[in-house]
Amino acid sequence: MSKYIFVTGGVTSSLGKGIFAASLAKLLQGRGLKVTIQKFDPYINVDPGTLNPYEHGECYVTVDGAETDLDLGHYERFLNLKTTQANNVTTGRVYQTVINKERKGEYLGKTVQVIPHITNEIKRRMLLLGESGDYDIVITELGGTVGDIESLPYVETVRQLKWELGNDAIVCHLTLIPYLKAAGELKTKPTQHSVKELLKNGVQPDVLICRTEHTLGKEIKQKLARFCNVSNEAIIEAIDAPSIYHVPVLMEEQNADKIILDKLGIKSSGKSDISIWKNFINKLNNPSKEVKIGFIGKYVELQDAYISIIEAFKHAGVENNCKVEIVKLHSEKLNDDNIAAQLKGLKGILVAPGFGDRGIEGKINAIKYARENNIPFFGICLGMQCAVIEYARNVLNLEGAHSLEMNADTKHPVINLMEDQKDVTSKGGTMRLGAYECSLKENTLAYNIYNKEIIAERHRHRYEFNNKYKQKFENNGMIASGLNLKNDLVEIIEIKDHPYFIGVQFHPEYSSTVAQPHPLFISFIAAALKV
Ligand code: GLN
């Protein structure tokens, strides 16, 4: 039988519940326990697939094709495990299930209500992974902040589950201890209020994880313990860390994993073995060189829009013993006149995934510059499509070549809509999503990088390379080095006479983890180091 850890958040959002959950899971995994993490988001969208990056940051895609919260990316990167649709549930999905059941008449004439019908559906989903028998511990992160109206059904479900599961369930509440500069003091009141909010809903937290910019003294801890009915040792400090990867170590130093296991009634001795993790941090802290990579996208001003790519660079940097300095360039600000000045000194250029026309010419400009000046280039999804467009226009002389996504009337649609997308009208969950196999051509850059014939990578797109132009491209130096053999889709393109020029239709960033950095990112950084 699984044990359950619920992670709630109070005072403000963005406290890092996902990172705490992933860090705790890492420590438990280091003790040989089988752990998974799931996230429940209180918004009405069925999934975050239709949310733009200003609203929601990156949309993370699982192997089984679910469009999910970016915290699932952290779970995978930390635990080196694959998540699935079951690991992310939204209010929209819960209601959709309940309403569909109601339409089928499954409630037998009853009035369908938040309690018990919505909470029962939440409960069913909260227990689902635990009931698979695959996990010793299921960590459930509740999105949002305690006290929000939308969070209520989740907190109520946690109350019921705590009651039903007894010692097999605990609640870790993440909160903020602000520092008032004028008073020179850390303040516990917001946390007291936030715990009261939980208590009002019948939930007593077992552990407090306190985000802070300054060390919490003994007195502050005692005060928190006294006012919040939490034992002294279960007040855990979560001080600002140099990187997300330092958090498991900071937690381990305070014995957070042992304290939590004790509360769950799981006997533990010694320490969690996270030596591989510590090696990684050691290398991350002590790079022997540095490399500057240009990162071109239209959401570069947002912290979370490309988080998986940013993290994949950190993994690949460590593998190459170097610090990857990412120079973010807004694609809308790049043009013919400034491109050389903007890209000067960069040892590699990555063009990001994306949708729509905005900033597209800047991306194409940057690719032209990288191609002509022998700078390593790596294009992901839209980045790959832009490389195809650039090559069509400037090498194959197909004037006005474009993607049908950006220009429905182009004379040369080198990127066109996928066949099975042509009749798709609704937007949610209808792209080509999830992992597909791809076969690599021998004696290509792609084959050398992966060192195998068949790979599987995750997708999220509607458009693809137009095979009508394939021969023309291949005759002129741009080859399709990765193909989906089932439907002949081009998944990878590359240029022969270039130090490193590769574009991939899939998203390798989703599968880069601390334990297994992605070979494309590793080789790209290695190539950049040679420039
Ligand atoms: N907009 C492009 C498509 O739908 C690329 C998508 C992406 O970069 N994820 O095909």
Side-chain angles (χ1 to χ4, degrees), residues 61 351-356 360 363 380-385 403 405-406 415-418 421 431-432 459-465 504-507 509-510:
V61 179
V351 174
F355 296 84
I360 201 86
K363 291 183 174 176
I380 299 181
C381 208
L382 182 62
M384 172 252 194
Q385 297 176 352
S403 161
E405 182 184 2
M406 322 303 164
I415 303 294
N416 65 359
L417 191 62
M418 273 181 280
Q421 285 287 327
M431 282 190 251
R432 180 175 181 230
H459 293 254
R460 183 173 188 246
H461 60 117
R462 298 187 198 278
Y463 294 82
E464 59 151 8
F465 181 91
V504 296
Q505 186 56 77
F506 46 80
H507 293 265
E509 69 274 22
Y510 294 146

Side-chain angles (χ1 to χ4, degrees), residues 108-248:
L108 304 173
K110 286 260 187 238
T111 307
V112 180
Q113 295 179 298
V114 173
I115 303 171
H117 303 100
I118 294 297
T119 46
N120 278 353
E121 177 57 19
I122 294 174
K123 196 184 290 178
R124 184 185 73 79
R125 289 177 181 266
M126 280 182 173
L127 298 174
L128 209 60
L129 288 170
E131 284 164 359
S132 70
D134 294 338
Y135 304 102
D136 301 314
I137 293 179
V138 178
I139 301 179
T140 303
E141 178 192 347
L142 297 194
T145 309
V146 167
D148 295 349
I149 291 176
E150 359 182 77
S151 298
L152 264 177
Y154 295 98
V155 177
E156 164 59 15
T157 311
V158 169
R159 184 193 67 77
Q160 293 182 22
L161 279 173
K162 261 202 107 182
W163 180 246
E164 286 165 27
L165 295 165
N167 285 341
D168 292 332
I170 61 163
V171 171
C172 296
H173 188 55
L174 204 78
T175 142
L176 177 71
I177 312 292
Y179 179 75
L180 281 197
K181 215 166 157 192
E185 275 177 38
L186 287 162
K187 290 296 184 188
T188 64
K189 195 74 81 190
T191 297
Q192 295 179 40
H193 282 298
S194 151
V195 169
K196 285 219 173 79
E197 197 64 41
L198 265 180
L199 287 169
K200 225 161 52 185
N201 295 312
V203 174
Q204 166 66 55
D206 300 279
V207 179
L208 288 185
I209 316 293
C210 305
R211 282 302 308 274
T212 175
E213 289 172 8
H214 300 270
T215 303
L216 304 179
K218 208 170 152 200
E219 267 172 41
I220 294 271
K221 286 191 177 179
Q222 273 170 354
K223 195 167 171 186
L224 283 166
R226 191 178 320 126
F227 280 107
C228 303
N229 326 317
V230 172
S231 51
N232 262 327
E233 85 280 1
I235 310 286
I236 313 252
E237 168 188 295
I239 200 158
D240 287 358
S243 87
I244 56 173
Y245 300 106
H246 289 75
V247 179

Side-chain angles (χ1 to χ4, degrees), residues 329-341:
L329 295 162
H330 200 298
S331 49
E332 269 185 307
K333 295 192 181 135
L334 299 176
N335 54 46
D336 274 340
D337 298 333
N338 67 11
I339 197 80

